Amino acid sequence: MRTGIRLTATAGLRLLAARHAGQCLPRWARRRRYGRDAGRTRPALHEQSIKGADFHTGIAITSSIHPDDKTHIEPVRYGKGSNSMGLLTTVMTDGGGKVPRWLKWLVQLLRHPAQAASLYVGLWDWSQRTVIALVMQTEDNSLTLFPKRTRFGRIKLSSRQGHGVPNPTWIPAANEAVRTLAREIDGTPWSSIGEILDIPMTAHFLGGCVIAESPERGVIDPYHRVFGHPGLHVFDGAAVSANIGVNPSLTITAQAERATAFWPNRGEADSRPPPGASYHRISPVQPLKPAVPEHAPAALRLQ
């Protein structure tokens, strides 16, 4: 949009990509307690660099392992040219114990200077010789977001530990798995650079637009309608209300399909209860003009 031009779009039903943890929530949401229970998934990233091999071709994620009953690890490929991600990695250093982690990291650098230097010398083909181990857990841990005023008077989102188990600063099973894999393929283990200061890298943030029965307890109702804003819906990962411990794409899709299945056809009455009313189960609505033909394998089948 060019400066000085204001565009207005009008629609009866609207979708808002609120984004996980509310990064794109409008100001009306940030000024209310709408960041609660955000970021409830807790993945971490660990990498190992591979020498003399090309790992960038093929499907990104093809398999997974479960080193224990709460940890899930997926090997991930990055496409050729995705080398800047390497700047977020460093020599793997375990946490825990009385010695500060940053000090243990410095000792690792002194013990393995060539390993540390190899990252920057070989950054131009990092994605081709690296396998990423994406680590996810089903622990019930979370971050709570809250509005905070800056020194210039603006409102920004800040975070603190939420309910459940405290967010781990390192996952021993992940480090052990990566070191084992590195030995098997003659590689070297790496981890995210923030872990030096016990700040792990987290992906797949979920939550921020809590599903609830009233605006005092959340952002959207069980039909994904935003309280106080008729016609506005949130379907993305911000509406996922629990840590599912895996990639959330299918869960987001399932929730979106369920919510849109209740939308009325144009000109028909809305079978959903009025906003603010108590929840009760209703039947999905058969679309008059489905996007996928009825004879196609992926045709809509309502039950």
Side-chain angles (χ1 to χ4, degrees):
M1 184 181 297
R2 291 183 295 177
T3 304
I5 299 178
R6 183 172 182 177
L7 302 177
T8 301
T10 303
L13 299 175
R14 303 178 298 280
L15 301 178
L16 170 65
R19 295 184 63 183
H20 318 333
Q23 299 106 311
C24 274
L25 283 180
R27 293 183 180 180
W28 56 262
R30 294 187 184 183
R31 288 194 170 91
R32 302 179 69 172
R33 298 175 62 190
Y34 284 177
R36 299 164 54 184
D37 299 329
R40 300 179 66 178
T41 194
R42 191 54 197 84
L45 282 174
H46 294 260
E47 295 96 19
Q48 63 280 341
S49 181
I50 315 303
K51 299 179 179 179
D54 189 342
F55 289 91
H56 83 282
T57 58
I59 300 174
I61 301 176
T62 59
S63 57
S64 64
I65 61 171
H66 297 263
D68 54 51
D69 59 356
K70 62 182 179 182
T71 307
H72 176 210
I73 303 178
E74 296 177 342
V76 182
R77 304 175 188 266
Y78 271 22
K80 186 176 181 179
S82 304
N83 303 316
S84 59
M85 185 74 176
L87 296 175
L88 298 178
T89 66
T90 189
V91 177
M92 178 174 285
T93 306
D94 292 342
K98 296 182 179 180
V99 179
R101 198 169 181 182
W102 61 267
L103 183 57
K104 290 191 287 186
W105 172 73
L106 287 177
V107 173
Q108 289 283 77
L109 292 184
L110 294 176
R111 291 180 59 189
H112 307 286
Q115 179 182 343
S118 68
L119 170 65
Y120 304 100
V121 173
L123 189 63
W124 64 277
D125 64 346
W126 179 88
S127 64
Q128 296 171 246
R129 56 188 179 86
T130 300
V131 175
I132 292 86
L134 178 60
V135 184
M136 294 169 280
Q137 291 190 309
T138 55
E139 292 277 16
D140 185 21
N141 45 31
S142 64
L143 297 175
T144 295
L145 304 184
F146 58 94
K148 184 177 181 181
R149 192 173 296 277
T150 67
R151 67 179 62 183
F152 301 107
R154 296 180 62 85
I155 300 295
K156 71 174 185 177
L157 286 179
S158 188
S159 65
R160 57 174 174 264
Q161 288 281 359
H163 75 275
V165 180
N167 293 283
T169 56
W170 74 297
I171 301 176
N175 286 21
E176 181 181 356
V178 168
R179 288 192 174 103
T180 299
L181 179 57
R183 287 192 297 268
E184 289 291 329
I185 56 180
D186 192 26
T188 52
W190 301 78
S191 63
S192 59
I193 194 168
E195 293 191 6
I196 300 171
L197 302 176
D198 285 334
I199 304 175
M201 182 182 297
T202 300
H204 297 160
F205 255 42
L206 301 173
C209 287
V210 182
I211 299 175
E213 71 274 10
S214 67
E216 289 73 31
R217 298 183 60 85
V219 180
I220 58 178
D221 69 6
Y223 307 98
H224 290 243
R225 298 175 297 191
V226 178
F227 290 116
H229 294 266
L232 188 62
H233 299 70
V234 173
F235 288 170
D236 66 355
V240 176
S241 56
N243 179 13
I244 55 180
V246 294
N247 189 297
S249 58
L250 294 180
T251 300
I252 295 171
T253 302
Q255 288 196 165
E257 287 187 348
R258 172 193 170 273
T260 52
F262 301 136
W263 282 21
N265 290 301
R266 179 178 296 181
E268 295 182 355
D270 193 340
S271 61
R272 297 173 295 180
S278 299
Y279 170 77
H280 67 266
R281 297 187 66 175
I282 59 176
S283 299
V285 178
Q286 179 67 45
L288 297 178
K289 297 180 180 180
V292 179
E294 294 183 0
H295 60 275
L300 180 64
R301 302 285 189 268
L302 297 178
Q303 298 180 354

